[in-house]
Amino acid sequence: MTDTIASPATSPPAPDPAADRPDPSDARAQRIVIGASMTGNAGYGLLSTLTVLYFSTHLHLAASRIGLALTVAGACAMLLGVPAGRLADTTVPPRLGAALSYLLLAATEVCILLVDSYAALVGVLVAAAGFQMTAATMRQTIVARLGGPRASVFRAKVTARSNLAMMVGMAASGLVIAAGSATAYRAAIVVCCVLTAGQGLLFLALPVGLAAPAAKDSAPAPDGPGVEAGRAGSRWEALTDLPYLSICLIYATLVLLETVVTVALPLWITLRTAGPGWLVAVFGVANTLSIACLLTRTARRVNTPRKAGRAMAVGGVFAGVFCLLTALASGRALLPAVIVLVIALLASIVAELLTVSAEMELTMTLAPEHAKGQYLGLSQTALTAATTVGPSVVTLACLSWGRPGWVLLGALLALAGLATPAVAAWAERTRPTPP
């Protein structure tokens, strides 16, 4: 993708490619953050696959009650994103906030082994989701500070490496599921707790005072001095930043694609197409490896808000194409169905690479320096909202409504992506200009 020459009044100069390389003084800290994230995500990949089966098989809970508990936990966690980010900006050093949150999360995960009632399980899941949200917000704030002018590239690197670690955890969960015993499940949960605690301890190893937030920039925006000044004086300015809120809403919509790929697509392949069941596993591995190997490279190209807006638009269109092709795979013979599904998978990978890279650039770059944590907490809240309601939405649209549901969902994703360039330009115009 290429970019046209922008007006200096509205767009920053093109980033220096050398900015992708970390300052030598921060290189060790960046390695610690990547190592911590990989450690935690290996545990998450193991735990996320096992817990629902553990609740169902060994706690004898119905799927509907498990889903309700997870939904309540996600909804409660959404309330903590922006406050946690504000704490990171003003009161709690992010390294300490992340370390404490992950250690408390590990202690909460241990409690899964002790619950003996549904009410207790809901309480544990709510606490775990809250600590997870706080930890993720603190971690993103650290990434933003360490990444410097190209924080989105560093964040893409962290995400890519973490995805590889999560895939290892998910593979290990298959061995536990094959064993099937309650002892194997409990041992795996203990391993997850140890990995989560290890992640917290690694964040403690970050240098004290590293990448402290910059002084608050109070310069007015070029086309909205009154609005910008009012926001700068607000304790919760992220919640009144309509352009940034709009970007978060658009991405929350496009995140439904990930839920479609992980929830609706496997069920659609096995129940509504002639595709073989093993295709689900192949698609899952292909998607994970593609994102892990190509995300950082894609993020380096999506290096301005304007390019990010375009990338999100193209990604939304590819997401719509994926939904349309997946719908067309139903009712076809084996070979045509597999061909259509493979093309659909490729479209989904392109869509995810572009939308994730664009979201990283927009949310990192457009968040003001003095309130990085608060703004990134808002983006984490939007992501949690999408992942909380996503399974219900995509199950209703794709499985209950069938082909029309796939087409409607594809149209929604495409329209959300196509709206991004205008919203990104709006957000860029309303950022404070350097003094």
Side-chain angles (χ1 to χ4, degrees):
M1 289 180 288
T2 58
D3 198 10
T4 57
I5 298 176
S7 168
T10 59
S11 298
D16 183 354
D20 288 353
R21 296 189 292 271
D23 186 305
S25 62
D26 290 345
R28 176 178 174 272
Q30 290 194 350
R31 288 195 297 270
I32 290 173
V33 171
I34 292 173
S37 300
M38 292 181 69
T39 300
N41 267 41
Y44 178 76
L46 180 58
L47 190 65
S48 62
T49 307
L50 294 180
T51 46
V52 173
L53 293 176
Y54 179 74
F55 299 153
S56 174
T57 305
H58 301 289
L59 297 184
H60 309 293
L61 293 175
S64 59
R65 301 190 78 191
I66 297 172
L68 177 61
L70 293 172
T71 300
V72 169
C76 292
M78 289 165 51
L79 303 175
L80 299 178
V82 175
R86 180 168 172 78
L87 285 176
D89 291 328
T90 60
T91 307
V92 179
R95 61 179 282 275
L96 292 180
L100 181 61
S101 297
Y102 280 120
L103 290 172
L104 290 172
L105 175 61
T108 306
E109 289 170 348
V110 171
C111 294
I112 292 175
L113 300 174
L114 306 177
V115 296
D116 56 1
S117 69
Y118 184 68
L121 176 63
V122 172
V124 168
L125 292 179
V126 167
F131 291 133
Q132 181 68 50
M133 170 64 81
T134 302
T137 300
M138 295 285 179
R139 185 182 70 178
Q140 296 292 35
T141 305
I142 293 170
V143 169
R145 303 296 179 205
L146 286 178
R150 295 299 295 119
S152 60
V153 174
F154 178 46
R155 182 177 167 190
K157 185 182 296 185
V158 173
T159 302
R161 305 283 177 82
S162 298
N163 276 2
L164 285 176
M166 184 167 65
M167 189 171 66
V168 172
M170 294 174 70
S173 71
L175 300 177
V176 178
I177 294 171
S181 67
T183 301
Y185 274 86
R186 294 187 181 108
I189 291 173
V190 170
V191 170
C192 295
C193 298
V194 171
L195 291 173
T196 303
Q199 183 177 19
L201 294 175
L202 282 171
F203 275 109
L204 278 180
L206 289 171
V208 177
L210 181 68
K216 185 175 180 177
D217 184 0
S218 58
D223 65 341
V227 173
E228 201 61 43
R231 266 210 316 264
S234 169
R235 293 182 60 193
W236 306 107
E237 61 186 274
L239 298 176
T240 62
D241 191 332
L242 293 181
Y244 196 92
L245 279 167
S246 300
I247 288 171
C248 291
L249 178 61
I250 288 172
Y251 185 65
T253 302
L254 289 170
V255 164
L256 290 175
L257 173 65
E258 297 181 31
T259 308
V260 170
V261 171
T262 57
V263 176
L265 181 62
L267 294 173
W268 184 259
I269 289 175
T270 55
L271 298 177
R272 303 290 184 88
T273 77
W278 52 261
L279 204 61
V280 174
V282 172
F283 279 11
V285 172
N287 179 270
T288 303
L289 285 177
S290 298
I291 300 304
C293 295
L294 300 175
L295 183 60
T296 304
R297 182 177 300 179
T298 306
R300 286 197 177 100
R301 297 178 63 84
V302 184
N303 55 9
T304 67
R306 180 173 294 187
K307 289 182 179 179
R310 294 174 179 174
M312 194 82 89
V314 176
V317 171
F318 270 95
V321 170
F322 158 74
C323 290
L324 180 61
L325 290 175
T326 304
L328 293 177
S330 175
R332 297 183 181 274
L334 175 60
L335 182 59
V338 171
I339 292 173
V340 171
L341 287 171
V342 168
I343 298 173
L345 173 70
L346 295 175
S348 75
I349 290 172
V350 173
E352 190 170 348
L353 284 169
L354 291 174
T355 55
V356 171
S357 297
E359 185 271 343
M360 290 176 176
E361 174 64 25
L362 291 171
T363 56
M364 287 282 185
T365 301
L366 298 176
E369 284 299 322
H370 68 275
K372 284 285 188 187
Q374 187 180 147
Y375 274 72
L376 294 174
L378 177 61
S379 69
Q380 287 295 310
T381 300
L383 177 61
T384 301
T387 55
T388 298
V389 305
S392 299
V393 171
V394 303
T395 301
L396 174 64
C398 300
L399 298 178
S400 298
W401 296 351
R403 280 188 174 182
W406 280 99
V407 173
L408 286 174
L409 184 59
L412 174 65
L413 296 175
L415 290 174
L418 291 171
T420 311
V423 175
W426 176 30
E428 199 173 7
R429 288 195 305 270
T430 57
R431 297 308 92 182
T433 55

